[in-house]
């Protein structure tokens, strides 16, 4: 018994574990922050709103705590069925987490988009809210001080107080550890929720689909901002390969809404699609840690953003 009590002193702080999510308008630095906290590329970063459609979780492991980051899609004014469904997902996620981090970029004045989100947050009374002022590497200390005051006032104007206001730069790695230190005490006491090695519990297929989607959007975002969905149809280790030289076969479909978009994705003589395949294959290989054979096909799923049956099939 003696050894046991020496290892777990009764007086030490209890282990905490729980869920946090970052919210903020598009490009507020949510995914970059998630990656910096977790220390590995997990969420899909993109300079275009609403690319993180699935709940991707990053996990911060500490000896005394485990912080699970739930990445919700950005809240926005819905224009389509997909938009409405995203907003419902956002609100239900906010109600379930233990702490909400609201990301506000240091280099942009608070705008109507921020007030819109803050007003929604004010409705969720019991969940502590931390204001995270991101991208501090882009401003001087005077501008930063002004932004911190503006953020403080935003909460007060809406009748709530931030649990913390933390300036960070995920890119420069400044104060990221401090942010985790401040989020952890807001979590309930409890055992770890995930095994030590886990960084994300997203099914691999979904992460792979996101990597392909990200590569497919590169360079054509203006023409096809959201009209791409990717489904990994099949993924299996190639038979009769020696154990030291495994190969994973992945068959994926890139869905677009209209036949006219096909040429944009495929490119002249298939050059674009080849590029997409090469780029995403490298990232998938890094994710899986094995060589991959990637077979990509472009298919038309007419107006999938507005069709509930298609949305369900495409995983939304």
């Amino acid at each position: 018994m003696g050894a046991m009590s020496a290892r777990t002193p009764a007086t030490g702080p209890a282990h905490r574990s729980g869920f946090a999510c970052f919210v903020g308008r598009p490009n507020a630095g949510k995914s970059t922050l998630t990656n910096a906290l977790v220390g590995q590329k997990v969420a899909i970063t993109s300079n275009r709103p609403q690319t993180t459609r699935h709940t991707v979780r990053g996990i911060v492991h500490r000896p005394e705590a485990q912080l699970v980051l739930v990445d919700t899609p950005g809240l926005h004014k819905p224009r389509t069925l997909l938009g409405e469904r995203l907003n419902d997902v956002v609100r239900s996620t906010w109600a379930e987490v233990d702490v909400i981090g609201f990301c506000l970029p240091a280099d942009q004045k608070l705008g109507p988009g921020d007030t819109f989100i803050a007003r929604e947050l004010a409705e969720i009374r019991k969940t502590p809210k931390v204001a995270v002022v991101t991208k501090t590497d882009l401003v001087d200390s005077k501008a930063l001080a002004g932004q911190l005051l503006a953020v403080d006032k935003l909460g007060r104007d809406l009748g709530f107080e931030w649990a913390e206001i933390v300036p960070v730069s995920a890119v420069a790695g400044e104060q990221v550890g401090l942010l985790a230190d401040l989020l952890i005490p807001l979590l309930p006491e409890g055992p770890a929720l995930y095994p030590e090695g886990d960084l994300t519990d997203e099914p691999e297929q979904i992460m792979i689909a996101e990597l392909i989607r990200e590569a497919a959007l590169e360079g054509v975002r203006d023409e096809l901002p959201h009209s791409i969905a990717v489904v990994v149809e099949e993924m299996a280790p190639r038979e009769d390969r020696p154990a030291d030289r495994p190969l994973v076969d992945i068959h994926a479909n890139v869905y677009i809404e209209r036949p006219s978009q096909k040429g944009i994705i495929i490119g002249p003589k298939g050059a674009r699609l080849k590029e997409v395949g090469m780029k995403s294959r490298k990232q998938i290989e890094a994710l899986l840690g094995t060589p991959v054979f990637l077979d990509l096909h472009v298919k038309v799923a007419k107006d999938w953003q507005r069709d509930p049956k298609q949305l369900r099939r495409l995983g939304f």
Side-chain angles (χ1 to χ4, degrees):
M1 183 62 211
M4 183 68 194
S5 55
R7 206 168 64 242
T8 53
T11 50
H15 187 280
R16 292 180 180 274
S17 62
F19 295 88
C21 75
F22 292 127
V23 304
R25 54 190 164 134
N27 288 335
K30 302 181 290 285
S31 297
T32 314
L33 187 56
T34 299
N35 296 337
L37 279 163
V38 177
Q40 182 163 330
K41 186 169 169 169
V42 182
I44 305 301
T45 54
S46 151
N47 53 8
R48 209 10 112 80
Q50 298 153 48
T51 43
T52 319
R53 286 221 179 116
H54 298 276
T55 308
V56 177
R57 297 179 179 85
I59 303 168
V60 181
H61 297 277
R62 290 276 181 96
E64 77 292 359
Q66 192 177 67
L67 174 67
V68 182
L69 303 171
V70 187
D71 206 19
T72 55
L75 188 82
H76 58 288
K77 299 195 169 70
R79 280 192 308 274
T80 61
L81 179 66
L82 176 61
E84 276 167 44
R85 195 168 298 179
L86 283 175
N87 282 357
D88 293 343
V89 170
V90 173
R91 289 197 185 85
S92 60
T93 305
W94 290 5
E96 287 158 16
V97 296
D98 301 299
V99 55
I100 299 172
F102 184 16
C103 296
L104 302 120
D107 65 330
Q108 294 168 32
K109 287 254 182 289
L110 298 190
D114 298 312
T115 312
F116 175 70
I117 295 171
R119 200 171 282 132
E120 293 279 335
L121 287 179
E123 299 294 303
I124 301 171
R125 297 252 182 272
K126 62 182 198 315
T127 312
K129 295 167 268 294
V130 172
V132 187
V133 176
T134 57
K135 310 189 184 186
T136 56
D137 52 298
L138 302 180
V139 297
D140 60 22
S141 53
K142 188 162 167 263
L144 178 58
Q147 187 73 324
L148 294 173
L149 287 170
V151 169
D152 180 49
K153 182 178 183 305
L154 177 65
R156 276 206 312 271
D157 288 351
L158 293 169
F160 69 89
E161 198 173 329
W162 302 107
E164 305 276 355
I165 299 178
V166 195
V168 302
S169 167
V171 172
E174 279 161 18
Q175 307 241 84
V176 173
L178 172 70
L179 175 60
D181 294 343
L182 294 171
L183 291 173
I184 284 166
L186 300 170
L187 302 177
E189 292 182 4
L193 301 160
Y194 292 89
E196 176 68 54
D198 287 12
L199 290 169
T200 170
D201 77 344
E202 263 305 272
E204 279 172 345
Q205 249 105 324
I206 290 178
M207 289 181 75
I208 288 167
E210 280 286 12
L211 289 171
I212 296 169
R213 185 166 182 271
E214 190 180 44
L217 278 172
E218 203 100 339
V220 298
R221 286 175 205 277
D222 298 336
E223 294 142 287
L224 309 171
H226 307 310
S227 31
I228 298 183
V230 175
V231 177
V232 173
E233 298 290 348
E234 214 182 312
M235 179 171 150
R238 175 86 54 98
E239 305 280 321
D240 50 274
R241 291 283 294 203
D244 58 339
R245 290 188 35 242
L247 179 71
V248 177
D249 283 311
I250 298 175
H251 300 277
N253 288 332
V254 178
Y255 288 97
I256 48 183
E257 290 188 293
R258 291 187 294 283
S260 61
Q261 298 170 333
K262 216 166 169 168
I264 300 174
I265 289 284
I266 293 172
K269 296 204 171 103
R272 218 50 266 296
L273 191 62
K274 202 179 259 157
E275 179 74 13
V276 170
M278 274 161 51
K279 195 163 195 163
S280 52
R281 197 188 74 233
K282 281 203 184 76
Q283 299 206 319
I284 295 165
E285 289 180 338
L287 174 74
L288 299 179
T290 57
V292 161
F293 172 79
L294 180 60
D295 177 38
L296 281 185
H297 291 273
V298 180
K299 303 204 161 174
V300 179
K302 234 165 78 54
D303 293 328
W304 63 262
Q305 293 200 22
R306 295 173 193 283
D307 175 352
K309 206 160 78 249
Q310 300 261 29
L311 278 173
R312 256 199 313 282
R313 204 169 64 80
L314 299 174
F316 298 114

